[in-house]
Amino acid sequence: MILEGVEVEDTFAEAFGMRATRLLVTADTARWARIAGETATGFATSVIGCGAEAGIERDLAPEETPDGRPGVALLIFAINRDGLAKAVRDRVGQCVLTCPGTACYGGLEGGEPLPVGGVLRYFGDGHESAKRIDGRRYWRIPVMDGEFLCEDTVGQQKAVGGGNFLILGRARAAVLAAAERAVAAMKAVSGVIMPFPGGVVRSGSKIGSKYKGLMASSNLAYCPTVKGTVESALSPEVAAVLEIVIDGLTDEAVGQAMAAGIRAACAGGAGAILRISAGNYGGKLGAFQYHLRKLLA
């Protein structure tokens, strides 16, 4: 398949089942809501090294939030419910509770609830108080600028982590520009995040290593500088490869985001972008497969 002059390889991305939640974080201004969101989703690129994967799904207008203030929607993913509960507790406690003027609400219904305000309330040292509004319970925790309002529990659900595609090109600048176009297009899709820096990862990995104790190591088959010393997947003209990883609340959302991203990466990339590929494990590990050409059909 040729898309906008770029070859789309006949391959698939392999993704995995995860658990996820959506948090709505509000503040007095959009700037402070964004600061809280960026801090709460930091160091969350991969469950392998970070314990969770997280990102800002989108900004929220005042009319979209429970308290009528500007906010952000955050998505947080983990391997299982316990890991997700810990990530939510720690990230809200250390990054949202601490941020001036913020409040935190659940953005998903269903699933076994995750405790948030119900565990953070102890910070109030006996002066916290509960309030029930429209059947939902909130905690008011005294802090130095007033109080931190946080919902008692938040919902969580099954999700998908690790959708991906690779952009191969003649020069790093062109590949990065294509990746930036892709991320911008994918951000318009609801229910997904791209957890790596700016949505892009250069250090694609494979399972295992020659060094004892390492779970993962550099995906050498896609590293241009070692083409002559390993079994390379790169043709001679490829000088750079970047990967985009997608986590989503649903299988459909991940597929939709991948299609939007690939189309945007290829647009205007003829000559500079050579090929679109994807990472997989032969279909042996992940429960979800995203065949690139089918996504674009």
Side-chain angles (χ1 to χ4, degrees):
M1 174 185 282
I2 303 298
L3 180 64
E4 301 278 357
V6 178
E7 178 191 356
V8 178
E9 190 175 335
D10 188 12
T11 188
F12 64 93
E14 190 168 348
F16 303 86
M18 300 183 80
R19 306 297 300 192
T21 190
R22 176 188 282 126
L23 302 178
L24 310 181
V25 174
T26 66
D28 295 334
T29 66
R31 175 175 176 266
W32 277 106
R34 190 85 189 181
I35 288 172
E38 289 174 347
T39 307
T41 57
F43 188 61
T45 56
S46 170
V47 292
I48 294 174
C50 308
E53 298 178 10
I56 295 178
E57 180 186 13
R58 67 184 184 92
D59 295 312
L60 299 172
E63 57 269 22
E64 297 178 286
T65 67
D67 59 16
R69 301 190 302 166
V72 290
L74 313 180
L75 296 181
I76 302 177
F77 296 77
I79 294 297
N80 52 43
R81 182 200 173 274
D82 289 345
L84 184 61
K86 182 180 186 302
V88 170
R89 179 200 68 195
D90 292 349
R91 290 171 184 275
V92 175
Q94 295 299 310
C95 305
V96 182
L97 166 65
T98 58
C99 186
T102 58
C104 183
Y105 309 94
L108 284 181
E109 302 290 343
E112 185 181 351
L114 303 174
V116 188
V119 290
L120 297 180
R121 70 184 179 92
Y122 296 108
F123 185 72
D125 199 25
H127 292 270
E128 68 280 359
S129 61
K131 187 173 185 179
R132 190 174 292 274
I133 303 174
D134 296 331
R136 301 172 77 118
R137 193 182 196 195
Y138 303 88
W139 285 96
R140 301 169 64 184
I141 303 169
V143 288
M144 293 191 298
D145 71 347
E147 65 181 20
F148 174 57
L149 182 66
C150 186
E151 193 155 1
D152 184 50
T153 62
V154 298
Q156 50 95 19
Q157 68 176 58
K158 292 181 179 180
V160 181
N164 70 85
F165 62 91
L166 305 171
I167 306 171
L168 292 70
R170 296 183 185 276
R172 186 169 66 193
V175 175
L176 180 57
E180 290 173 337
R181 292 194 301 271
V183 170
M186 295 161 78
K187 284 184 176 180
V189 178
S190 178
V192 300
I193 58 165
M194 287 63 71
F196 282 91
V200 185
V201 55
R202 69 172 181 172
S203 56
S205 61
K206 66 180 184 296
I207 294 175
S209 168
K210 66 176 287 185
Y211 297 109
K212 186 177 180 180
L214 283 183
M215 293 176 59
S217 58
S218 188
N219 193 358
L220 297 175
Y222 286 90
C223 295
T225 59
V226 294
K227 276 190 268 189
T229 58
V230 300
E231 187 176 343
S232 180
L234 306 180
S235 55
E237 64 269 29
V238 174
V241 181
L242 290 174
E243 181 179 6
I244 298 178
V245 174
I246 308 98
D247 295 339
L249 294 179
T250 65
D251 177 21
E252 293 76 15
V254 172
Q256 183 181 351
M258 286 181 60
I262 292 170
R263 291 184 186 280
C266 293
I273 304 304
L274 298 169
R275 182 158 50 104
I276 301 294
S277 188
N280 63 66
Y281 307 95
K284 299 177 181 178
L285 296 179
F288 301 90
Q289 295 182 11
Y290 299 95
H291 293 261
L292 303 188
R293 294 185 179 180
K294 288 183 179 179
L295 291 175
L296 300 169

